Every structure is written in C-alpha cells, then in structure tokens.
C-alpha cells in the first residue's frame, strides 16, 4: 500500500505526557530545523534515566517495524537506546529515536534488518521520553536549496506535520 494512514493511538499514553515539543527547533547539535518532535513523560528528568520513570511507547497505527541500536556517540542511556522505523505503508512511516527498552518481540530483531508486524496501540517499548517524527515519501518539502545535500538523511525532506495524522479528538 501507499499513502498516509490515520493514527488512532498516541505514541505515549495521553495521561503520561508531560510535554511535547514540535518539529522545527534549532537547538543543541541541530544545525538545521529539527525533523522530529520530542515526547517527554511527566517522569522525565534530563540527567537521570531510571526504570521506574519509564512509560509505555505505543504504535500509533498498524505497520511493519524495524529496530536498530543507536550508535554509542548518540546514545542517551546505557540501559539501551534504539531507533525504530515503523512503516505504516510503503510511503508513510514514523521514526522513534531514543527508546530505551523494547517489547520482547522487538528484542529478537534488533540490528537484523528484519521487520516485525505491530498493531495500533501495541506497546513497542518503554522510555521516559523519545523523539518522534512522521514522514511521507509522496511529499517533498519546498524551500531546500539543494535537496541532494540531504542524501545521508533522506527522510528529512519528507517530514510532515507530526500531529496531522492523528484522528480527533486525539489530535487536539
């Protein structure tokens, strides 16, 4: 299939959300507008990552997910740090970064390149906070002087509004 889907679950339970920072910030080591938002739980602390502070990370819609370990230089925790790409269709997907624990079935495919079927609302991991972005290969953002310069991070020119796919009243 291709094209966008509607998200029927949040990536973090609504009652666990402490703050959401949207895409587009230019902070820290980001030298271009950031292509992902940040979900932080009410338990999030910047310096401490304790298991008791972790909350469930959810799939917002059905799809096939692939999981890789974050390189050590970008890792935010020694408990575990993973990057997950959840393909909802062949052209529409979400990326999660800095998820610290994985569901049992995802632990079995880390760094294998294999994809696993997950369902809307399924717990795919746990973390006190994580990066979240939405990408649509049918959309190319306007305004890039040289889109070819993004070939190493080719998803960036296909980043779409991270709130748009959510069904109401979840979006609001």
């Amino acid at each position: 299939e291709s094209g966008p889907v509607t998200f029927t679950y949040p990536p973090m339970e609504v009652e666990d959300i402490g703050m959401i920072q949207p895409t587009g910030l230019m902070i820290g080591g980001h030298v271009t507008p950031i292509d992902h938002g940040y979900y932080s739980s009410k338990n999030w602390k910047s310096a401490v990552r304790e298991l008791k502070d972790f909350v469930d990370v959810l799939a917002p819609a059905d799809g096939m997910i692939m999981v890789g370990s974050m390189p050590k230089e970008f890792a935010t925790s020694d408990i575990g740090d993973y990057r997950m790409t959840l393909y909802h269709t062949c052209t529409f997907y979400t990326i999660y970064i800095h998820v610290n624990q994985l569901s049992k079935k995802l632990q079995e495919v880390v760094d294998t390149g294999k994809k696993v079927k997950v369902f809307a609302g399924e717990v795919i991991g746990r973390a006190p906070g994580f990066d979240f972005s939405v990408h649509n290969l049918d959309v190319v953002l306007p305004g890039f002087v040289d889109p070819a310069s993004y070939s190493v991070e080719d998803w960036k020119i296909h980043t779409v509004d991270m709130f748009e796919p959510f069904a109401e009243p979840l979006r609001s």
Side-chain angles (χ1 to χ4, degrees):
E1 297 180 25
S2 64
V5 300
T6 299
F7 295 164
T8 56
Y9 283 86
M12 176 187 288
E13 294 287 0
V14 172
E15 60 269 12
D16 290 335
I17 297 171
M19 180 177 62
I20 301 173
Q21 289 182 306
T23 59
L25 296 172
M26 290 184 66
I27 58 173
H30 296 283
V31 296
T32 59
I34 301 172
D35 65 322
H36 54 269
Y38 299 94
Y39 273 77
S40 300
S41 75
K42 292 175 182 173
N43 301 330
W44 190 83
K45 299 172 188 79
S46 63
V48 179
R49 302 260 197 266
E50 297 181 32
L51 294 176
K52 69 177 180 57
D53 295 328
F54 286 19
V55 298
D56 290 341
V57 177
L58 310 173
D62 294 355
M64 298 294 290
I65 195 166
M66 187 168 50
V67 183
S69 299
M70 285 297 292
K72 287 197 185 291
E73 63 268 23
F74 300 117
T76 59
S77 173
D78 56 5
I79 293 171
D81 197 337
Y82 303 96
R83 180 183 193 275
M84 303 186 288
T85 304
L86 176 49
Y87 298 91
H88 304 288
T89 69
C90 292
T91 60
F92 190 76
Y93 58 96
T94 51
I95 297 175
Y96 294 77
I97 306 173
H98 304 305
V99 174
N100 303 115
Q101 292 181 309
L102 301 173
S103 68
K104 189 169 204 135
K105 76 179 182 184
L106 295 185
Q107 290 172 17
E108 297 173 10
V109 297
V110 174
D111 297 326
T112 66
K114 294 179 181 175
K115 294 179 185 135
V116 176
K117 179 76 174 169
V118 295
F119 299 94
E122 182 175 339
V123 175
I124 55 177
R126 291 181 56 78
F130 51 87
D131 301 1
F132 180 78
S133 58
V134 181
H135 308 274
N136 185 342
L137 296 178
D138 296 327
V139 172
V140 177
L141 296 175
F144 287 94
V145 174
D146 182 12
S149 65
Y150 288 85
S151 63
V152 174
E153 298 176 308
D154 59 351
W155 64 88
K156 284 190 173 187
I157 64 171
H158 303 289
T159 304
V160 295
D161 182 335
M162 64 187 258
F163 300 111
E164 163 94 31
F166 288 97
E168 286 293 358
L170 191 56
R171 181 184 317 142
S172 295

